[in-house]
Amino acid sequence: MTLEELKIKMDACGYVYDDTMATVLTVALALGRPLLIEGAAGVGKTEIAKVMAESLGRDLVRLQCYEGLDESKALYEWNYQKQLLSIQVNMGSRDSDALTKSLFGDEYLLERPLLKSIRSEKPVVLLIDEIDKADEEFEAFLLELLSEMQVTIPEVGTVRAKTVPFVVLTSNRSRPLSEALRRRCAYLYIPYPDMEKELAILRKKLPHVDDRLAAQVALAVHKLRENEAILKKPSIAETLDWAAALDALGVKELTPDALRQTAGFILKNSEDLEVLAEDQPQDTCHCGVQCGGHHHG
């Protein structure tokens, strides 16, 4: 797929991108390289994998990472109940070695996301989401897949990819990732969008929202992210939720009252709501967010 073809596909998906992002995606796809995407939570990293799956007409296979994730949840697991049943049924009628060998065939193998993605008859998009939440041991385990597009199952041997998935790894940078993993991947860093891009996203995703209100929401979110006292910076999804909530209420102007009544759609913990409540009565700008005080700009 050429750069221009991918841009047309992403436009059709309603995804707002820049030329650098589109170029990295095109080249990574052409070279069959995994893509590591880093950035703060909520900047749209996971959405890229979803958009690529839709743009390429592929299934999306997702592996959500967490502390303690191991091979049995990520790669494969044996169907122990079915194996035990087979042993009971065939114990007297088959040679013990032959029976043992038969227990580790495809019919007893439960595919998890990694194995499913490389054994698929058609190429898929494999999303390894929040790899930084997994243990370093699991990260090391991934290296064979990322570099060779194969995995090793002790009872079976090496399983090579039938088709090459487009692999997207995301990281919120909660811990450093190894150089070995980074070397195997193309790299993309996504910052929070600037006001112009955020407004473009609002217009693309919520075209029915009043344009003046959308601009005020984009400005307000920008100020909230700049505010050093805000612990959990608003994500793009929360920006969209907030604009949709305001629109549902028939709001045309982001007044202090409208901001206060809908703050729970954009700020998601009590500490941040308290910061907003403390700031708002002071020097409040037209978008409903204080222009001075805790934040810098």
Side-chain angles (χ1 to χ4, degrees):
M1 182 177 289
T2 66
L3 176 60
E4 291 307 314
E5 288 171 339
L6 181 59
K7 285 182 175 181
I8 292 170
K9 295 280 190 182
M10 293 175 76
D11 285 337
C13 293
Y15 189 78
V16 178
Y17 57 87
D18 56 35
D19 285 342
T20 297
M21 179 188 292
T23 300
V24 170
L25 289 169
T26 302
V27 175
L29 180 64
L31 298 179
R33 292 289 299 279
L35 175 62
L36 171 62
I37 307 175
E38 288 191 321
V43 296
K45 302 183 296 297
T46 300
E47 189 68 18
I48 289 179
K50 296 177 181 178
V51 168
M52 286 300 289
E54 186 174 347
S55 297
L56 298 171
R58 299 185 182 187
D59 289 338
L60 176 68
V61 178
R62 180 172 182 170
L63 174 64
Q64 179 62 52
C65 297
Y66 54 87
E67 187 177 350
L69 178 64
D70 60 16
E71 293 178 38
S72 68
K73 296 295 188 291
L75 182 59
Y76 75 100
E77 191 171 10
W78 294 109
N79 189 333
Y80 298 117
Q81 290 182 326
K82 192 172 182 179
Q83 287 174 324
L84 287 172
L85 181 61
S86 180
I87 291 171
Q88 292 171 354
V89 171
N90 297 293
M91 188 175 294
S93 60
R94 299 185 65 174
D95 173 82
S96 60
D97 288 342
L99 176 56
T100 300
K101 187 175 182 180
S102 72
L103 295 174
F104 297 101
D106 264 6
E107 62 181 305
Y108 302 101
L109 189 61
L110 300 175
E111 291 181 341
R112 300 309 185 204
L114 299 183
L115 187 60
K116 180 180 180 180
S117 68
I118 66 169
R119 297 217 316 171
S120 173
E121 297 293 337
K122 296 181 179 180
V124 302
V125 173
L126 171 61
L127 169 61
I128 303 175
D129 213 9
E130 299 184 307
I131 180 60
D132 52 318
K133 289 187 177 179
D135 302 324
E136 292 179 7
E137 292 79 4
F138 181 76
E139 185 184 328
F141 159 73
L142 280 178
L143 298 181
E144 180 184 16
L145 172 67
L146 297 179
S147 58
E148 306 294 336
M149 286 298 156
Q150 65 181 37
V151 293
T152 300
I153 299 176
E155 301 88 347
V156 175
T158 300
V159 180
R160 292 181 173 83
K162 291 182 179 179
T163 55
V164 178
F166 181 61
V167 183
V168 176
L169 303 95
T170 71
S171 168
N172 296 334
R173 306 178 79 183
S174 63
R175 70 167 177 84
L177 301 177
S178 71
E179 290 302 316
L181 183 139
R182 291 180 180 277
R183 282 197 302 272
R184 287 162 171 78
C185 301
Y187 181 76
L188 185 63
Y189 177 76
I190 304 180
Y192 282 115
D194 57 23
M195 279 183 52
E196 183 179 348
K197 184 176 180 181
E198 192 118 38
L199 183 55
I201 293 170
L202 282 164
R203 287 169 172 162
K204 182 83 73 169
K205 297 293 187 180
L206 300 172
H208 55 281
V209 171
D210 182 82
D211 202 56
R212 175 178 168 80
L213 176 64
Q216 292 176 344
V217 166
L219 176 59
V221 170
H222 181 69
K223 290 181 178 296
L224 287 169
R225 291 195 187 123
E226 283 191 329
N227 191 331
E228 293 175 348
I230 298 294
L231 301 175
K232 201 277 183 187
K233 309 301 182 186
S235 68
I236 295 172
E238 286 159 349
T239 302
L240 294 170
D241 283 347
W242 188 28
L246 291 164
D247 182 63
L249 291 170
V251 173
K252 300 296 182 184
E253 179 87 12
L254 187 53
T255 63
D257 278 346
L259 172 60
R260 183 174 58 255
Q261 292 166 7
T262 59
F265 286 92
I266 194 69
L267 299 176
K268 298 302 174 70
N269 62 54
S270 59
E271 293 87 351
D272 290 343
L273 289 174
E274 287 174 6
V275 170
L276 183 64
E278 290 170 2
D279 284 357
Q280 198 178 356
Q282 302 170 35
D283 180 18
T284 305
C285 68
H286 75 277
C287 65
V289 176
Q290 188 217 352
C291 296
H294 290 297
H295 77 274
H296 60 86

